[in-house]
Amino acid sequence: MSVIEDTVHAFCLDNPAIQAPTGHGVLSGLRFAAKDVFEVADTRTGFGQPDWLASHPPASINADCIERLLAAGAALAGRTVSDELCYSLTGDNAHYGAPRNSWGADRLSGGSSSGSAAAVCAGLVDFALGTDCGGSVRVPSSYCGLLGLRTTHGRVPTRGLLRFASEFDCIGWFARDAGIFERVARVLLPEAREQGAFRRLLIATDAFAAVDTAIADAFAPALETLSAQIGATHDVRLSEDGLDRCFETFRIIQAADVWSALGDWVTRTRPTLGPGVRERIEQAGQIGAAELRAAQAHRAEIVARLDTLIGEDDVVVLPTTPRPAPPRGGGDDALETTYRFQAMSLLCSAGLAGLPQMNLPLAMKDGLPLGLSIMTRRNGDMRLIELAGQVCPQAPVPPDAVRP
């Protein structure tokens, strides 16, 4: 297998991982990359954090999803950079840098599955594995103009995946080509099968109201495309008490879960953490039992509302992110506070309810991709993928990327 020339700094240098296919199947001839949270036999998984890399032994086996992909004929071309401990959406790791977004050298690729998205965006691999807890597949797929799926929570087996916040952690993947995306789904989604067309498009008006008018206007042609494909449309509100409150509920539950997974290691190791991640880890250790109980109760209300709101043949449409990829190296405080809050308010509903959500690269703003998401009921992953293939068979290719 030829070595990839990493033109976008997407691949890990300190703990590379390459494996040949172990079988033949629907993925034969394809190359993929895997985020630095999936175990690869005889190599160390770094979690985007050098102290983690140094303090953990090599894996004894491959992660379940990597085993499946290799058995289906795909070749693992490399391990990709992750945001530190997966606790960021920016795509800029204080220790390993920011993988380059091929849509602009001055733009971030988004996190935390930054390297995986950057590698697919640049055309270095055919598809790539990522994970999504709060938006870590959806954000980079929006920034990089890719098809990207957050799967139904628990749908893809997570054996061999580093734990971050298991209440929300999901495996997902990126691709430019909808046909390739669907082939990966046949391997990773148990009992994957065609599920039939959606009959109603639910437009999440509170989500569109949460973005600037110019951004909302940029989505208009894409909404027309979806509406023409599906037919009936209906306006809905995802939340009765505000998407900002939904995010606060998500933040509390996620933080408590993160501390449960990482708190002991952080306390013992005292790792050097980058800005933003350091503050969130500190806050995670301060979540109280009463605060968590109240958040869990509110989560139950949110789940019940979404279960009632989204019918069997409904698909929800909403902005994936509040804007295109932000500039690299500018306004870090705003990225880690104000913008994170805006993005997470859009992203949290799927996480709280365990729903599948897929980014469609159907819109552009100022020459940059702007992702539009489709979301549906639990286990409707294949329906989203089928709809994506109908309205977006091929993602746009950046001018300086490797052509398919």
Side-chain angles (χ1 to χ4, degrees):
M1 184 167 55
S2 60
V3 176
I4 290 176
E5 181 183 357
D6 186 5
T7 56
V8 292
H9 308 294
F11 290 92
C12 297
L13 300 178
D14 293 343
N15 57 330
I18 298 174
Q19 288 197 0
T22 59
H24 298 279
V26 296
L27 302 181
S28 291
L30 300 181
R31 297 199 297 185
F32 75 99
K35 183 180 180 178
D36 189 22
V37 294
F38 292 93
E39 292 188 341
V40 179
D42 302 318
T43 69
R44 295 176 185 266
T45 312
F47 219 161
Q49 219 295 325
D51 292 318
W52 182 280
L53 180 65
S55 60
H56 288 79
S60 58
I61 58 173
N62 288 334
D64 181 89
C65 56
I66 289 180
E67 277 293 294
R68 291 185 183 203
L69 296 171
L70 295 172
L76 176 61
R79 171 181 273 130
T80 52
V81 173
S82 166
D83 279 15
E84 186 176 11
L85 300 177
C86 292
Y87 219 171
S88 177
L89 295 177
T90 64
D92 192 357
N93 187 309
H95 311 283
Y96 298 116
R100 181 175 174 271
N101 186 336
S102 293
W103 284 97
D106 62 332
R107 298 288 168 165
L108 291 167
S109 59
S112 63
S113 306
S114 53
S116 289
V120 175
C121 184
L124 305 183
V125 292
D126 298 293
F127 67 95
L129 289 174
T131 59
D132 191 306
C133 177
S136 292
V137 165
R138 290 165 288 167
V139 170
S141 57
S142 177
Y143 287 180
C144 293
L146 301 171
L147 295 165
L149 175 68
R150 172 201 168 83
T151 52
T152 297
H153 186 256
R155 185 78 189 274
V156 181
T158 56
R159 182 185 64 86
L161 173 68
L162 296 185
R163 179 187 168 194
F164 174 58
S166 54
E167 290 255 3
F168 304 119
D169 288 341
C170 295
I171 291 170
W173 62 97
F174 305 91
R176 280 185 191 165
D177 181 272
I180 291 175
F181 203 99
E182 188 270 343
R183 287 156 65 186
V184 176
R186 299 290 174 187
V187 175
L188 292 185
L189 294 177
E191 302 177 356
R193 57 182 176 80
E194 293 185 3
Q195 297 179 315
F198 292 108
R199 297 181 181 178
R200 190 170 66 154
L201 181 68
L202 304 183
I203 300 174
T205 56
D206 49 350
F208 283 98
V211 303
D212 291 344
T213 301
I215 297 295
D217 290 345
F219 286 123
L223 285 172
E224 290 178 5
T225 297
L226 282 170
S227 178
Q229 182 66 39
I230 296 170
T233 63
H234 183 67
D235 289 350
V236 297
R237 291 180 59 83
L238 293 177
S239 173
E240 291 180 317
D241 47 10
L243 293 174
D244 52 350
R245 189 180 171 208
C246 291
F247 167 48
E248 180 62 9
T249 291
F250 180 94
R251 183 194 69 80
I252 292 167
I253 299 171
Q254 181 194 42
D257 204 357
V258 168
W259 189 253
S260 175
L262 304 181
D264 181 64
W265 175 79
V266 169
T267 302
R268 287 187 291 103
T269 308
R270 298 187 178 278
T272 301
L273 301 173
V277 176
R278 179 176 57 250
E279 289 79 8
R280 282 190 284 279
I281 289 289
E282 290 173 354
Q283 293 166 8
Q286 299 169 7
I287 300 298
E291 185 180 20
L292 180 58
R293 283 194 301 272
Q296 291 284 21
H298 186 230
R299 180 190 187 182
E301 295 173 5
I302 294 168
V303 172
R305 172 175 172 77
L306 291 174
D307 283 350
T308 300
L309 183 72
I310 306 171
E312 190 67 35
D313 293 319
D314 292 342
V315 60
V316 180
V317 61
L318 68 159
T320 306
T321 53
R323 64 173 177 177
R328 295 161 60 112
D332 289 345
D333 289 343
L335 281 176
E336 291 291 354
T337 54
T338 304
Y339 183 62
R340 179 181 174 83
F341 175 86
Q342 293 171 336
M344 288 299 302
S345 295
L346 296 174
L347 297 160
C348 64
S349 295
L352 288 166
L355 306 179
Q357 183 175 343
M358 187 170 186
N359 181 72
L360 303 179
L362 286 175
M364 300 287 288
K365 182 74 171 69
D366 300 327
L368 296 171
L370 184 62
L372 189 68
S373 275
I374 48 176
M375 179 175 74
T376 193
R377 295 170 67 93
R378 285 179 288 279
N379 298 318
D381 309 63
M382 285 302 297
R383 296 182 88 174
L384 296 181
I385 294 168
E386 291 159 14
L387 177 57
Q390 294 162 355
V391 299
C392 189
Q394 183 74 40
V397 180
D400 59 348
V402 177
R403 295 277 162 174

